[in-house]
Amino acid sequence: MGHHSTWTWQELLVLLGVLWLWGGSAQPTPLGPTRSPAPQLKFRLAGYPRKHNEGRVEVFYNDEWGTICDDDFTLANAHVLCRHLGFVAATGWAHSAKYGKGVGRIWLDNVNCAGGEKSIGDCKHRGWGNSDCSHEEDAGVICKDERIPGFKDSNVIETEQSHVEEVRLRPVVSGARRRLPVTEGIVEVRYKDGWAQICDEGWDTKNSRVICGMMGFPAEKKVNRNFYKRLKRAARTKGQSPRLGSRLASKSQPKKRREDVGSRKRLFAERQQLNYRLHSVSCTGTEVHLSMCTFQFYQGNTSTACGAGMPAVVSCLPGPLFTSGSTHKKKQRQQQQGQLRIRLKGGAKAGEGRVEVLKSSEWGTVCDDRWNLLSASVVCRELGFGSAKEALTGARMGQGTGPIHLNEVQCLGTEKSLWSCPFKNITQEDCKHTEDAAVRCNIPYMGYENLIRLSGGRSRFEGRVEVAVGAGDGDELRWGLVCGEGWGTLEAMVVCRQLGLGFANHGLQETWYWDASNVTEMVLSGVKCAGHEMSLSHCQHHGSSLNCRNTGTRFAAGVICSETASDLLLHAPLVQETAYIEDRPLHMLYCAAEENCLSSSARLANWPYGHRRLLRFSSQIHNNGRADFRPKAGRHSWVWHECHRHYHSMDIFTHYDILTPNGTKVAEGHKASFCLEDTECEEDVAKRYECANFGEQGITVGCWDLYRHDIDCQWIDITDVKPGNYILQVVINPNFEVAESDFTNNAMKCNCKYDGHRIWVHSCHIGDALSEEASKRFEQYPGQLNNQIS
C-alpha cells in the first residue's frame, strides 16, 4: 500500500510537470523569424524637419527602440506602419535617412508587406535584429493626415520630450504683422497647444542663422535688442496700461505713429506672461533645423525663468526673389542671378529642382554620391533661399542632359558657394543622369495660396479658378472668376504653383462642367504669364478695367494640376550628324504642300515641274521628365490626313526655323505630330505607345520618338535662302499645348554655313545649355568671319 501511494505521488509529479510544460507552450511564442510578440511592439515617428504625420519610423521591440532599413521598402510597408501609428493610410515613404539617422538597433530589414497585414511582424522580413544596413538607410513614412477613429494616441508621436518640431518667427510690431514675408520677430517653438519662447541668454548669430535658414532666408542680420528691451520695460511698467500709453502718445504724435506706438506696447503687454521652453541654445550655424542644435528645456515652473534675459529675437535678410522694392532693385537682382554659376531646374515650386552648375561655359549636373543636407543647404543659400528641407537623390526632379560636372560633393555647410566645397571630378563610369542630385529649399511664407482657390473639380487638383479681390487693409475679401480668353498652359502653371499643387496638366478656357460655386462675377481678364511667376497677381492683366468678350461663368478659366510632368528634349548631336540638302521634284511634294510643309513661294512654282531645295535632318525627341508626354486632344478629335494616311494628334508639334545672326527668320517649317510613339526606350523601360491600328499616342518617361530625315515634312524649305551664315533652330511643343516641367530646354540651336550648294551644320546644343557669354559668342560666329561667303 505504501509502495502504491509513493508511486501515485511520483505519477502526480510527472503529471504536474507535463501540465506545466503544456501550459507554458500554450502561450504565443515566435514560430519563426518573421513572427513577433504583438504586445511588445510600439511605434513612434521621429526625426527632423517634419510634420506630425511623417518621420523616421522607430519600433520598440525587446525593451529597446530601433529603426527599419529602407532596403526593398514599399508603399505597402508604409500603409501597415501608418496604421500602427494611428493614421488611415500612407501617402509616401522616404529612404536614406531623410529625417535624420536614428540610434540603437536596426530591428527590421528587407521588409515585404502585402499592405493588408495587421502588424509589421506579420510581413516577411529577415528576422528581428538581423540587418546588413547602417543608420544612413533608415526608412521614414508620410502618412495621410487622417486619424483612425478611436485610436488612442499614447505612444505614437513624440514620446520623447527632447524634440523641437515646429518653429515660427512672431512679429512684434503691428505693421510687420501684416507684411509678408516676416523677416523679424520673436522666435517661438510649438509646445503642447500653444507657443513658447526661447531665452536669449548666450544667443549668438549662429543660432540666428539656423532660424533664418528654417524660415527661408539665406542670412541673418543684427537685431536692435535695445528696441525690444525698451518695449519689454514699457509693457511691464505698473500703472500704465497700453491704452494709457496710447493716450499719452496722442498728445504729441501724429495719428499713424500714435497707433503704432500703442500697438507696439499692446502687443508686448500681451506677452507679459512669457512661457519659456528652451534655454542655452548652441548651434554651429550649419544645422538645417533647431532640433539639431544643443539646448536645454526648462523644467517645472517657468515663471521666474530667463531672469536676466528676454525672448530670443531674430532678424533675417530675404533673398532676391522675396525682396520688395523698386524696379532698380529688381534689375540689380536679375544681374546678380545672371552671374550665378548654379541654378535649379525641373521643380514645380520656387526653391526646388535639379541642381545644375556652370563649368567651362556649359551647364551640367551634380552626381548624388554623398549628397546630403549640408551640401544642399549651401546650394539653397547661394540661390537666395533658406537652408535645405531635402537633399534629393536618384534624379527625383528629372534627369538632366550634358556633362555631369561634380561628384562626391562634401560641404561643411559654411561655404558661400558649392564650388568652394570639396568634390571629385567625374568620370563616365562613376555616374549617370539617373543619379542627378536635387534639392528642396526652405522658402519664406508669402501667403499666396490664400489669394486663390479652385472650385467644382472632382479633386483638389482641378477646378475653376477663383481669385480674391479687395485683399487690402480693411477691405472685405470677395471672390471672383478669371476670364478664359487667352488662358493657357503658362497661366495654369502659375496657378498650380501658387496653390502648391505641382505642375499644370491643362489650362482650360471653358469650365461649364464645374459650375458648382456661387461665385459668378468675372473680376480678372487679359492674364498673360511667362510661367515662372509665384502668384497670378505677378502676371500681366487688364487691371481694374475688365475686358472679356464672354463674361458668363461657363467661359471662366480653369486648371488641372499634376504632381509630375513630362520634359521633352531634342537630341542635338543627331541633328548635326544627319543634316543634308536635297533637291526634291515638285511632283513628289503634293502631300507636303497640302500640309503646308513648303515655303509660301512654292504656290507660285510651275507645278509639277521644277524642284524645291530642302534642308533635311533627323529628330530624336526624349522624354526626361517624370510623367508621360500625351497629346492634349483625345483621339476622338485627332485629324485624319488622307494624303499621308495618318492621324495628327497635335497640329503643330515642332517649329523649324532658319534665322540670321540677328534673329530674323528667313525660312521656316513646322511639323505636325504625325504620330507620337515610343520608337526606342532605355534598358529597363517598356514601350507603351504605338501608332499602329489607331493606337494610343505619347512618349513614355525614359523613351524617345524618332522622326527620320527621310519622312515628309522633316525638313526646312530653303529654296529662297541666299548663301551665308545662319542659325538653325528647332523648337518642340512651341505653343505650350502640352504641359512640361521645363520649357526652357525645348529649343535647340545650331550654327549653319550655306554656300548655295552645300550646308555645314555644327555647334548644335539645347537652348539653355550654355552660359550667357557663350550664347552671345555662338550667335557671332567666332572664326567664321574670315571665311564668309561673298
Side-chain angles (χ1 to χ4, degrees), residues 212-496:
C212 289
M214 289 176 67
M215 298 297 115
F217 302 110
E220 74 292 344
K221 63 179 181 180
K222 197 172 181 182
V223 179
N224 183 358
R225 287 184 83 250
N226 292 330
F227 167 75
Y228 287 91
K229 280 179 180 174
R230 283 198 301 273
L231 284 177
K232 186 180 177 185
R233 279 199 299 271
R236 284 181 174 171
T237 302
K238 301 296 178 187
Q240 187 183 37
S241 70
R243 285 183 184 174
L244 178 62
S246 297
R247 285 200 300 273
L248 289 171
S250 68
K251 292 179 181 177
S252 58
Q253 294 176 346
K255 185 182 177 185
K256 187 166 183 358
R257 195 171 167 199
R258 210 162 62 221
E259 287 173 357
D260 197 36
V261 170
S263 299
R264 289 176 185 180
K265 291 190 177 181
R266 183 170 64 255
L267 284 164
F268 232 102
E270 287 169 3
R271 285 188 189 76
Q272 284 188 65
Q273 296 301 317
L274 292 168
N275 177 20
Y276 287 105
R277 172 85 175 126
L278 301 183
H279 66 97
S280 305
V281 178
S282 178
C283 304
T284 63
T286 60
E287 297 88 348
V288 298
H289 197 278
L290 183 63
S291 62
M292 299 169 70
C293 303
T294 61
F295 51 79
Q296 291 181 3
F297 289 99
Y298 282 110
Q299 304 295 333
N301 183 9
T302 61
S303 57
T304 58
C306 199
M310 55 181 266
V313 178
V314 163
S315 184
C316 306
L317 275 170
L321 211 55
F322 304 96
T323 308
S324 55
S326 63
T327 314
H328 175 65
K329 280 184 181 175
K330 284 181 182 174
K331 281 182 181 174
Q332 280 183 330
R333 292 202 299 272
Q334 285 166 356
Q335 286 168 0
Q336 180 191 345
Q337 291 286 333
Q339 292 162 4
L340 286 172
R341 294 174 62 202
I342 192 162
R343 68 185 183 186
L344 300 181
K345 301 283 278 184
K349 301 181 217 163
E352 68 174 37
R354 180 178 61 253
V355 180
E356 295 192 353
V357 291
L358 187 65
K359 183 181 179 183
S360 305
S361 299
E362 189 174 8
W363 288 99
T365 61
V366 177
C367 186
D368 65 11
D369 292 352
R370 299 203 177 189
W371 187 247
N372 61 19
L373 283 166
L374 286 175
S375 301
S377 289
V378 171
V379 170
C380 291
R381 290 184 190 268
E382 185 177 358
L383 289 167
F385 306 111
S387 51
K389 197 159 39 175
E390 291 184 73
L392 300 168
T393 58
R396 286 269 301 282
M397 291 287 176
Q399 294 183 34
T401 54
I404 301 171
H405 284 320
L406 306 179
N407 186 22
E408 294 194 23
V409 181
Q410 294 180 70
C411 300
L412 298 172
T414 54
E415 296 87 351
K416 296 284 186 196
S417 168
L418 194 70
W419 287 103
S420 306
C421 303
F423 63 87
K424 284 187 180 176
N425 287 318
I426 202 82
T427 63
Q428 202 154 8
E429 295 75 37
D430 286 338
C431 285
K432 295 177 181 173
H433 281 297
T434 52
E435 300 168 80
D436 283 343
V439 296
R440 278 200 181 101
C441 307
N442 288 313
I443 65 168
Y445 175 73
M446 301 298 291
Y448 292 138
E449 70 277 14
N450 301 322
L451 305 175
I452 194 166
R453 67 188 185 192
L454 303 182
S455 70
R458 296 161 297 180
S459 73
R460 68 188 185 93
F461 283 89
E462 65 178 31
R464 181 180 282 167
V465 179
E466 296 180 359
V467 294
V469 287
D473 294 349
D475 294 336
E476 190 181 336
L477 204 67
R478 63 188 177 92
W479 293 90
L481 304 175
V482 180
C483 179
E485 281 174 36
W487 185 265
T489 305
L490 295 178
E491 290 71 39
M493 281 173 74
V494 176
V495 170
C496 294

